[in-house]
Amino acid sequence: MARSALLNVMVQAALKAGKSLGRDFGEVQNLQVSVKGPGDFVSAADRKAEKIVREELMKARPTYGFLGEESEEIKGTDGAHRWIVDPLDGTTNFLHGIPAFAVSIALERNGEIVAAVVFNPATDELYTAERGGGAFLNDRRLRVAARRVLSDCVIGCGVPALGKRNHGKFLVELRHVMGEVAGIRRLGAPTLDLAHVAAGRFDGFWEAELAPWDMAAGILLIREAGGFATDWDGGTAILEGGAIVAGNEHVHKALIEVIKRPIPAK
């Protein structure tokens, strides 16, 4: 696959940060860990990975803005471009030695995601996409799964962590979806969940209370793989609202209907 100069910059930043994470993952029990909040841990590896990504991207495009999980937002001087970065999505997995974590980088241009990279150093899987150019896993072109009926589908989701709101609401959603599908999966890294939808491994995905860096790259991967990614009303204000539902045309529509099903009266 041919990559633009910008996508190559993003790939190199992700690979460099991933190499650093891979070394730390091999010595995970020796990491210095601090507590950022209930159920939400941040490690020295996380901060180091963001520094690597930020330096690589800003060196290549110094006028672009930068929004990352572990640092204050940098406003760009060109006013049109912004990097959206999660240097270590799946931190809790990482700290427990579970090989489901990723570096996620998206490029936003005038409010639209135009390029995306998701890299899992533990599996050496590199997902890339550019608007209008398709989505790829390493060098293989991706398409979302073709299943049309929920009862045939495996659906990914996010589970609210300790300290998050709406545990009860999620349990109602989960009960409704479980009654309609073949299986539910929860990886603990939404960027990888969304990449799995783009790759056809998951038929769909839903989650709320996400940050822009949790979703930005995955949104473009899914759309460039022929799928749909919207907010829960079918709109495009995903990054602003923090809620996403994704799948092919049929699964996406059916999943919205199920997760928005009213809570039964007692």
Side-chain angles (χ1 to χ4, degrees):
M1 58 167 288
R3 295 178 183 147
S4 71
L6 268 176
L7 188 59
N8 276 326
V9 167
M10 297 166 67
V11 167
Q12 291 308 309
L15 293 178
K16 189 171 182 179
K19 185 176 181 180
S20 175
L21 289 174
R23 287 193 298 265
D24 287 332
F25 186 64
E27 301 179 9
V28 66
Q29 293 187 354
N30 296 324
L31 289 177
Q32 296 178 8
V33 181
S34 60
V35 177
K36 188 168 64 176
D40 190 7
F41 301 100
V42 60
S43 67
D46 200 341
R47 294 188 293 271
K48 183 167 59 177
E50 178 161 311
K51 183 174 184 291
I52 290 170
V53 172
R54 184 174 65 249
E55 289 178 351
E56 290 292 310
L57 297 179
M58 300 306 285
K59 179 173 61 178
R61 296 293 189 275
T63 63
Y64 289 11
F66 185 94
L67 176 64
E69 183 178 12
E70 301 303 332
S71 60
E72 291 187 8
E73 182 174 1
I74 299 171
K75 298 292 186 180
T77 57
D78 82 339
H81 295 88
R82 178 173 68 161
W83 303 111
I84 303 177
V85 173
D86 193 340
L88 175 51
D89 185 36
T91 309
T92 302
N93 286 346
F94 184 87
L95 294 175
H96 285 78
I98 302 169
F101 59 92
V103 181
S104 174
I105 305 172
L107 176 60
E108 183 182 55
R109 177 180 296 139
N110 295 319
E112 297 289 333
I113 306 300
V114 297
V117 172
V118 173
F119 178 53
N120 181 350
T123 60
D124 204 32
E125 290 188 324
L126 176 69
Y127 297 86
T128 57
E130 291 187 271
R131 189 168 64 179
F136 296 82
L137 169 53
N138 297 332
D139 290 324
R140 178 173 63 85
R141 183 72 177 259
L142 297 181
R143 295 295 298 177
V144 294
R147 298 178 187 87
R148 301 164 65 101
V149 181
L150 283 182
S151 58
D152 295 331
C153 292
V154 169
I155 303 296
C157 70
V159 178
L162 180 67
K164 296 286 187 178
R165 301 170 296 169
N166 297 324
H167 284 230
K169 182 175 180 294
F170 168 75
L171 290 175
V172 173
E173 295 162 11
L174 181 62
R175 184 174 69 186
H176 288 161
V177 175
M178 285 177 62
E180 302 285 344
V181 303
I184 300 284
R185 299 292 183 271
R186 198 267 190 178
L187 288 182
T191 57
L192 287 180
D193 285 313
L194 295 171
H196 280 8
V197 175
R201 295 170 175 173
F202 289 173
D203 298 282
F205 176 79
W206 92 99
E207 188 170 0
E209 296 190 69
L210 291 173
W213 47 78
D214 294 320
M215 303 179 288
I219 289 169
L220 186 66
L221 286 171
I222 289 169
R223 290 174 177 170
E224 288 298 319
F228 288 72
T230 70
D231 62 26
W232 288 16
D233 294 317
T236 59
I238 310 173
L239 299 185
E240 297 83 356
I244 187 170
V245 57
N248 67 28
E249 179 182 6
H250 306 283
V251 172
H252 173 263
K253 181 180 178 181
L255 195 53
I256 287 179
E257 293 176 357
V258 174
I259 63 177
K260 294 183 69 176
R261 193 174 291 167
I263 298 174
K266 292 183 179 180

